[in-house]
Amino acid sequence: DSSVCDVAELPEVSTLDPQDNNGVDGTWSVDQSDDVYTYTFTPTGDCYNEFSFVVTITSSVDTVFDYTDSSVCDVADLPLVDDLDPQDNNGVDGTWSMNQVDDVYNYTFTPTDTCYNEFSFTVTVSDSVDTVFTYTDSSVCDVTE
């Protein structure tokens, strides 16, 4: 069994070999049920069994990175496209591009495999950048006796 991301990637019945590896002739047919396509080879001889394989159309998968939207004070602190990882966290290869609109820099990862979605993050150049901590507001009781 295998999978593809687009119907256009499915094998055409007319391109499948009309003869198996042992020289047995036959015909191919394909049945569809939702996103599952079952290809069946029916041999012309009575003593040969049918052969089938399944191709499933899968939805696109998101690429995963640890990059997040952020802000910097100076253009010199922007990430360089060439310094960004050419593989996502799951080993998917691709290329980065950057687009600037005013003080907002949008970085986009385009995977080489069309089964994966693009990933983007934005860096804004700002005169005032908030500091970030993981501390949260809390209260304590003074238990003195």
Side-chain angles (χ1 to χ4, degrees):
D1 293 0
S2 63
S3 62
V4 296
C5 294
D6 190 338
V7 174
E9 297 177 54
L10 288 170
E12 293 287 330
V13 171
S14 62
T15 63
L16 298 174
D17 197 338
Q19 195 174 66
D20 83 345
N21 295 347
N22 296 317
V24 176
D25 293 322
T27 57
W28 284 98
S29 61
V30 62
D31 290 316
Q32 175 191 0
S33 176
D34 296 323
D35 291 334
V36 177
Y37 292 77
T38 303
Y39 291 81
T40 303
F41 178 79
T42 304
T44 53
D46 289 337
C47 69
Y48 298 103
N49 295 322
E50 289 185 341
F51 169 82
S52 295
F53 69 93
V54 175
V55 179
T56 304
I57 297 180
T58 61
S59 59
S60 295
V61 178
D62 289 336
T63 50
V64 179
F65 286 94
D66 294 329
Y67 304 122
T68 59
D69 293 347
S70 61
S71 296
V72 294
C73 291
D74 191 331
V75 174
D77 295 328
L78 287 168
L80 299 175
V81 170
D82 290 342
D83 291 342
L84 298 174
D85 197 335
Q87 280 190 339
D88 85 335
N89 294 356
N90 296 315
V92 176
D93 293 318
T95 57
W96 285 97
S97 60
M98 191 266 299
N99 181 18
Q100 176 191 359
V101 177
D102 298 324
D103 291 332
V104 178
Y105 295 78
N106 187 46
Y107 294 82
T108 302
F109 177 81
T110 304
T112 54
D113 185 333
T114 58
C115 283
Y116 293 90
N117 296 320
E118 289 184 339
F119 173 88
S120 294
F121 71 98
T122 300
V123 180
T124 304
V125 178
S126 175
D127 293 335
S128 174
V129 176
D130 292 334
T131 53
V132 179
F133 288 93
T134 56
Y135 301 121
T136 59
D137 294 339
S138 62
S139 60
V140 294
C141 295
D142 185 11
V143 199
T144 56
E145 297 192 59

